[in-house]
Amino acid sequence: MSSVAKSVARFVEYGKKIVCVGRNYAEHAAELGNVVPSEPMLFLKPTSSYLLQGNPIKFPPGCKELHYEVELGVVIGKGGSDIPESAVMEHIGGYALALDMTARDLQDAAKKKGHPWSKAKGFNTACPISTFVSKDSVSDPQNISLWCKVNGETKQDGNTKDMIFKIPTLISYISKYFTLEEGDLVLTGTPSGVGPVVSGDVLTAGLGDLVEMSFTVK
Ligand code: MG
């Protein structure tokens, strides 16, 4: 791949993994009856779950309760493993807004059986993603509002300052287990207000005044 084609702005085309953090906002953990974790809780979505604007979000087979979760995505610009917290900013290439779409009923069933969440979190269309947000345009990634509306009604209205584990801690921790590569995406958890959608709903989400996106549920 040429260096031109491999611009980090096109991370969706070549990134190898999406590492997600669960329960990283206290109010959201509480609304689902989960305890706040003592260390970051990680899961993965395959990159086949990416969904670009203009394409519909689809219910996976067997799912009757599909939830939105708006999240700040951090795009890795320089790979590494065992990245110290103090060096994390050098490894960030930019940001994106994402919806961590979750088949909540499939997830609840998996939790009860002690099974993994892969189907509930990684199905096709489970990761609607915005356009790339350059690193330069974000003065403080730990103080950006993020919101999600369903059919124009505000459902989530949070701020990244309320993350339990902040971005340097998350990326440093993740890099101890998974070598992070250029183009990888880290989803940093969702604020409170998650809920279900039905076919025909329009989800709109925004990150400060940096980016906005819209997806229809089919
Ligand atoms: Mg999430």
Side-chain angles (χ1 to χ4, degrees), residues 21 43 69 71 100 121 190:
V21 180
F43 61 94
E69 298 186 357
E71 309 202 3
D100 169 18
K121 291 281 198 179
T190 195

PDB file of all heavy atoms in Angstrom, residues 21 43 69 71 100 121 190, ligand 1:
ATOM      1  N   VAL A  21     -14.070  -0.348  24.818  1.00  0.00           N
ATOM      2  CA  VAL A  21     -14.029  -0.310  26.279  1.00  0.00           C
ATOM      3  C   VAL A  21     -15.463  -0.264  26.786  1.00  0.00           C
ATOM      4  O   VAL A  21     -16.259   0.577  26.329  1.00  0.00           O
ATOM      5  CB  VAL A  21     -13.250   0.932  26.768  1.00  0.00           C
ATOM      6  CG1 VAL A  21     -13.209   0.974  28.291  1.00  0.00           C
ATOM      7  CG2 VAL A  21     -11.846   0.938  26.178  1.00  0.00           C
ATOM      8  N   PHE A  43     -13.434  -5.386  24.860  1.00  0.00           N
ATOM      9  CA  PHE A  43     -13.937  -6.367  23.895  1.00  0.00           C
ATOM     10  C   PHE A  43     -13.598  -5.857  22.509  1.00  0.00           C
ATOM     11  O   PHE A  43     -13.116  -4.727  22.359  1.00  0.00           O
ATOM     12  CB  PHE A  43     -15.444  -6.628  24.089  1.00  0.00           C
ATOM     13  CG  PHE A  43     -16.323  -5.421  23.898  1.00  0.00           C
ATOM     14  CD1 PHE A  43     -16.911  -5.152  22.673  1.00  0.00           C
ATOM     15  CD2 PHE A  43     -16.580  -4.546  24.954  1.00  0.00           C
ATOM     16  CE1 PHE A  43     -17.728  -4.036  22.503  1.00  0.00           C
ATOM     17  CE2 PHE A  43     -17.393  -3.432  24.794  1.00  0.00           C
ATOM     18  CZ  PHE A  43     -17.978  -3.183  23.557  1.00  0.00           C
ATOM     19  N   GLU A  69     -25.197   3.303  21.318  1.00  0.00           N
ATOM     20  CA  GLU A  69     -24.261   3.807  22.342  1.00  0.00           C
ATOM     21  C   GLU A  69     -23.308   4.746  21.617  1.00  0.00           C
ATOM     22  O   GLU A  69     -22.477   4.291  20.826  1.00  0.00           O
ATOM     23  CB  GLU A  69     -23.445   2.664  22.972  1.00  0.00           C
ATOM     24  CG  GLU A  69     -24.267   1.619  23.718  1.00  0.00           C
ATOM     25  CD  GLU A  69     -23.378   0.590  24.458  1.00  0.00           C
ATOM     26  OE1 GLU A  69     -22.149   0.659  24.333  1.00  0.00           O
ATOM     27  OE2 GLU A  69     -23.958  -0.271  25.145  1.00  0.00           O
ATOM     28  N   GLU A  71     -20.083   7.015  21.110  1.00  0.00           N
ATOM     29  CA  GLU A  71     -18.753   6.931  21.718  1.00  0.00           C
ATOM     30  C   GLU A  71     -17.704   7.727  20.943  1.00  0.00           C
ATOM     31  O   GLU A  71     -17.757   7.808  19.715  1.00  0.00           O
ATOM     32  CB  GLU A  71     -18.294   5.453  21.775  1.00  0.00           C
ATOM     33  CG  GLU A  71     -19.347   4.565  22.411  1.00  0.00           C
ATOM     34  CD  GLU A  71     -18.838   3.259  22.993  1.00  0.00           C
ATOM     35  OE1 GLU A  71     -17.623   3.016  22.970  1.00  0.00           O
ATOM     36  OE2 GLU A  71     -19.701   2.505  23.491  1.00  0.00           O
ATOM     37  N   ASP A 100     -21.609   2.403  19.037  1.00  0.00           N
ATOM     38  CA  ASP A 100     -21.365   1.008  19.403  1.00  0.00           C
ATOM     39  C   ASP A 100     -22.739   0.340  19.464  1.00  0.00           C
ATOM     40  O   ASP A 100     -23.335   0.236  20.532  1.00  0.00           O
ATOM     41  CB  ASP A 100     -20.628   0.982  20.757  1.00  0.00           C
ATOM     42  CG  ASP A 100     -20.549  -0.412  21.359  1.00  0.00           C
ATOM     43  OD1 ASP A 100     -20.747  -1.396  20.629  1.00  0.00           O
ATOM     44  OD2 ASP A 100     -20.287  -0.502  22.581  1.00  0.00           O
ATOM     45  N   LYS A 121     -22.140  -7.572  19.689  1.00  0.00           N
ATOM     46  CA  LYS A 121     -21.396  -6.318  19.491  1.00  0.00           C
ATOM     47  C   LYS A 121     -20.693  -6.236  18.146  1.00  0.00           C
ATOM     48  O   LYS A 121     -20.242  -5.152  17.766  1.00  0.00           O
ATOM     49  CB  LYS A 121     -20.324  -6.185  20.585  1.00  0.00           C
ATOM     50  CG  LYS A 121     -20.865  -5.946  21.998  1.00  0.00           C
ATOM     51  CD  LYS A 121     -21.266  -4.492  22.172  1.00  0.00           C
ATOM     52  CE  LYS A 121     -21.376  -4.106  23.637  1.00  0.00           C
ATOM     53  NZ  LYS A 121     -21.749  -2.668  23.792  1.00  0.00           N
ATOM     54  N   THR A 190     -19.494   4.621  26.471  1.00  0.00           N
ATOM     55  CA  THR A 190     -20.644   5.491  26.215  1.00  0.00           C
ATOM     56  C   THR A 190     -21.169   6.120  27.503  1.00  0.00           C
ATOM     57  O   THR A 190     -21.155   5.488  28.564  1.00  0.00           O
ATOM     58  CB  THR A 190     -21.780   4.696  25.512  1.00  0.00           C
ATOM     59  OG1 THR A 190     -22.725   5.618  24.965  1.00  0.00           O
ATOM     60  CG2 THR A 190     -22.508   3.750  26.464  1.00  0.00           C
TER      61      THR A 190
HETATM   62 MG    MG B   1     -20.098   0.739  24.240  1.00  0.00          MG
END
